[in-house]
Amino acid sequence: MGDRDHPDYKILVVDDEPDLERLVRQRMRRHIRKGKYGFEFAGNGVEALEVLREKKDIDIVLSDINMPKMDGLTLLQQIPEVNSDLRSVIVSAYGDMENIRTAMNRGAFDFVTKPIDFTDLEVTIERTLRHLDEWRAALASRDKLVAIQNELDVATKIQQSILPDTFPHVDGCEVYGCMHAARNVGGDFFDVINLNAGRIGLAVADVSDKGVPAALFMMSSRTLLKGAAIGVEDPSTVLREVNDLLNETNDAAMFVTVFYGVYDPSTRVLTFSNGGHNPPLVVHPDGSSEELELTGGLALGAIPGFEYGQASVRLSPGDLVIFFTDGVTEAIDVSNEEFGLESVQDLFREPPTPTAREAAEMILRAVKDFAGEAPQFDDLTCMTLRVADE
Amino acid sequence: MNVQVEHHDKVLVARVEGRVDSSNSQDFERQLQGAIGEDVNAVVIDLGQLAYISSAGLRVVLLVAKTLGQRNVSISLCALSDPVQSVFEISGFNRIIQIYDTQADALAAAG
């Protein structure tokens, strides 16, 4: 509730009749004392616009029609330029339908007739204020929707901005990665981490579900993973640490599937631990390919204290390792057919293996061609490691 | 996606049909949580008619399993099709949630 100095609603009365101010203050005194209405007065349209420019919190303009300098009908036309968040009520002579019609056409919300019946005026003011409240509530919820949309856009930008866009130049191998986000903010990420002794940490991950919560969970997973990767040697220990940290606060039962591997270009050995993620595919120079073994892992964030397994594979010159998320293999076309792992394998049957970048781009292009007009439900992420030829 | 519920004494069997992905996972969660009453000792989720489950759907299964775990209500899954079985194996959820070949096996273990 308002008080006398800060009324709930402010009404600007515009009339060249000097006695009206005294009359209004007298007849509305109870409302004024309770802080419900506050009144401002102006003697014509020009003065009214000055008041509106100065006081932005006027809710209702109650205006006479015939006034010197600027009449009420002209005032009606000019009000929206000064304040569009108020409603006007016009005061007209009884039966003056022509002016009333013009006023309504120029945006007046309602009218009262002279001589002013204050009971009728109160009803009109109340009705106008109720309408104004609802209008403002509708505007507020529209603004909220816009804010949510902006929030989603921000989350999309965050997701894109944390992905690596330059890749380490290391003798003996090349690395590339890219992601095409679905329309709803998803939770895919990949990371390429420079470790000591020329080794490279390679991570690809997919957070359950979509939207802003998934994006936030993705952000913290990615930060924790990078931190652990730099501090700890074994991929299985990295996943265990990240899993335990993610489980500390995770009431929503979100989880993230993570493949994390460390590649040493000097020995061509990839040591990896799979936390519930689609196993990467190793493509050999002759066009054959197989998936890396699962290491008895579990998606991160599901339960604390889980011990992750680990395995190693020695790659050969010309080998191509494809790390991806299920957005690739589970992409569907218009008839609900899945792209599938075999379609990925088919892309590389003909030797030699392409470069890391070509391979990743070939896969994303093939998925898009396959999906055609079918909507993209999931992020598409693809990261590639190609061992240099001998 | 549709969830059908049957009661076998104090064991609740929820049969899930169709596809569960991020577009209907909230509905899946509501139906599943809503079906599980207070006087239930065990929950068997029959996935025999489930064609596809995405990670958003797995999250719901995990959430239900965690909630039931806190109430000491056992949960198991049964009759998974090959693609769905493979989703549980890759994610590792088969290590933390009991999976049976048939509903009869699951009921026998739950009874």
Side-chain angles (χ1 to χ4, degrees), chain A residues 69-266:
Chain A
K69 287 189 186 167
M70 184 192 287
D71 66 21
L73 295 177
T74 312
L75 173 65
L76 275 178
Q77 283 179 311
Q78 309 226 347
I79 284 176
E81 289 167 28
V82 183
N83 184 345
S84 56
D85 187 40
L86 57 73
R87 291 294 176 269
S88 307
V89 175
I90 217 78
V91 185
S92 81
Y94 182 78
D96 183 4
M97 285 315 290
E98 198 182 328
N99 274 332
I100 291 171
R101 277 191 66 117
T102 309
M104 300 303 273
N105 286 341
R106 292 186 180 182
F109 178 73
D110 207 345
F111 65 92
V112 290
T113 53
K114 280 182 173 180
I116 294 177
D117 172 343
F118 275 84
T119 315
D120 180 41
L121 178 62
E122 261 186 63
V123 171
T124 305
I125 287 175
E126 276 305 305
R127 208 168 66 84
T128 309
L129 290 175
R130 253 205 329 273
H131 160 82
L132 198 57
D133 283 346
E134 274 166 27
W135 167 256
R136 285 172 179 166
L139 282 187
S141 38
R142 186 205 58 183
D143 290 350
K144 249 182 236 163
L145 275 178
V146 170
I148 290 170
Q149 191 53 53
N150 289 343
E151 195 184 325
L152 285 171
D153 292 346
V154 168
T156 308
K157 283 189 189 120
I158 291 172
Q159 187 185 13
Q160 286 288 353
S161 70
I162 64 157
L163 297 177
D165 51 6
T166 55
F167 300 95
H169 291 279
V170 185
D171 277 348
C173 72
E174 24 153 11
V175 179
Y176 187 77
C178 48
M179 183 193 76
H180 287 199
R183 231 181 98 223
N184 298 332
V185 179
D188 277 14
F189 71 90
F190 63 92
D191 209 352
V192 181
I193 307 161
N194 286 312
L195 301 172
N196 60 17
R199 296 171 314 140
I200 308 165
L202 297 162
V204 61
D206 186 355
V207 172
S208 57
D209 227 335
K210 304 267 170 298
V212 173
L216 294 176
F217 194 78
M218 183 263 294
M219 288 292 289
S220 65
S221 308
R222 189 255 183 185
T223 312
L224 292 172
L225 183 74
K226 191 158 197 164
I230 289 167
V232 181
E233 192 85 358
D234 280 336
S236 58
T237 315
V238 169
L239 292 196
R240 193 191 68 208
E241 284 194 357
V242 176
N243 178 53
D244 286 346
L245 288 166
L246 284 177
N247 269 289
E248 280 177 9
T249 49
N250 185 16
D251 295 337
M254 278 205 217
F255 60 86
V256 55
T257 66
V258 181
F259 177 94
Y260 177 63
V262 174
Y263 181 64
D264 187 340
S266 67

Side-chain angles (χ1 to χ4, degrees), chain A residues 312-335:
Chain A
S312 290
V313 61
R314 182 183 293 276
L315 300 174
S316 304
D319 275 355
L320 172 73
V321 189
I322 300 163
F323 311 84
F324 58 94
T325 56
D326 58 11
V328 171
T329 45
E330 290 173 16
I332 50 172
D333 66 8
V334 282
S335 57

Side-chain angles (χ1 to χ4, degrees), chain A residues 208-209 252-253 255 276-277 296-299 301-303 306 330 338, chain B residues 22 25 52 55-56 58-59 62-63 66 89-93 95-96:
Chain A
S208 57
D209 227 335
F255 60 86
H277 197 80
L298 172 68
I303 54 164
F306 191 84
E330 290 173 16
E338 282 190 6
Chain B
S22 53
S25 65
Y52 172 81
S55 59
L58 284 184
R59 189 183 74 80
L62 178 66
L63 190 66
K66 282 187 165 184
E89 279 170 10
I90 289 172
S91 63
F93 279 25
R95 281 168 233 284
I96 53 172

